[in-house]
Every structure is written in C-alpha cells, then in structure tokens.
Amino acid sequence: MLRRMMGIDSIFFCQRNVLDRKKRTLTITAWNESFDNRVKVEEVCKYWADGENMTKFTQEAKLTISSFWGFESTVEKLMIRQYTVRMKRH
C-alpha cells in the first residue's frame, strides 16, 4: 500500500560506522535517503566492551512523519509494527 502511494519500488538507506579503538566502541548510524522529505528514519546502535569478555549493546530509533497526505498516524503505526517484527527476528 505504501509503495503504491509513494510511487516507488525501493527505499535507500545510508549507514555510517564509527570504530573508536581507544574507548572500545562501535557506533552504527543508519538513515533513509529516499523519501526523507515525508518520512525520516534514523537508527543508532552502539556496541562497547565491558570487561574482557562482555559486549554490551544499545539501540535507538527515531521516526518522523512530516507529511503523508493525511495518513500520518496510519503510516506511523504500520512502520512501527514492521520495525518491531523485524527486531524480534534478530
């Protein structure tokens, strides 16, 4: 449904990986390039070493829907549901 409304076949995301060897951290930031004038998605994942054998992880995601022809709340619910389903798989 959303693809038909937007008139696109795929959405492109960019990703930036920052490795800090001194602090023993990896920060991965991903955001959408396609259709970002209507829907913006940003996700930040952080990994860090805690002791010798323990790796910790945090994840944050931000969704901003600025204009979607009056269907903003519907699109928001669909996107959050899909994101949640995909995160449970991993």
Side-chain angles (χ1 to χ4, degrees), residues 11-23:
I11 297 175
F12 293 97
F13 283 82
C14 291
Q15 181 174 310
R16 177 180 35 243
N17 301 328
V18 178
L19 177 63
D20 185 332
R21 291 183 190 269
K22 277 188 175 180
K23 294 181 181 177

Side-chain angles (χ1 to χ4, degrees), residues 24 47-57:
R24 299 174 64 195
Y47 299 84
W48 68 94
D50 186 20
E52 289 300 314
N53 297 318
M54 178 78 75
T55 301
K56 293 194 175 179
F57 168 75

Side-chain angles (χ1 to χ4, degrees), residues 2-82:
L2 293 175
R3 281 192 237 174
R4 279 183 276 174
M5 288 177 69
M6 295 186 297
I8 60 173
D9 291 326
S10 58
I11 297 175
F12 293 97
F13 283 82
C14 291
Q15 181 174 310
R16 177 180 35 243
N17 301 328
V18 178
L19 177 63
D20 185 332
R21 291 183 190 269
K22 277 188 175 180
K23 294 181 181 177
R24 299 174 64 195
T25 62
L26 171 63
T27 303
I28 302 169
T29 306
W31 65 94
N32 63 307
E33 284 287 314
S34 302
F35 213 59
D36 66 342
N37 60 332
R38 295 195 183 277
V39 178
K40 292 183 183 186
V41 178
E42 182 178 19
E43 180 180 36
V44 178
C45 298
K46 294 182 183 180
Y47 299 84
W48 68 94
D50 186 20
E52 289 300 314
N53 297 318
M54 178 78 75
T55 301
K56 293 194 175 179
F57 168 75
T58 62
Q59 180 179 32
E60 297 178 25
K62 182 178 177 182
L63 169 66
T64 306
I65 301 174
S66 56
S67 175
F68 218 91
W69 307 289
F71 294 100
E72 289 83 3
S73 64
T74 303
V75 171
E76 179 180 352
K77 288 175 189 174
L78 285 169
M79 292 184 78
I80 290 172
R81 187 177 320 136
Q82 286 298 314

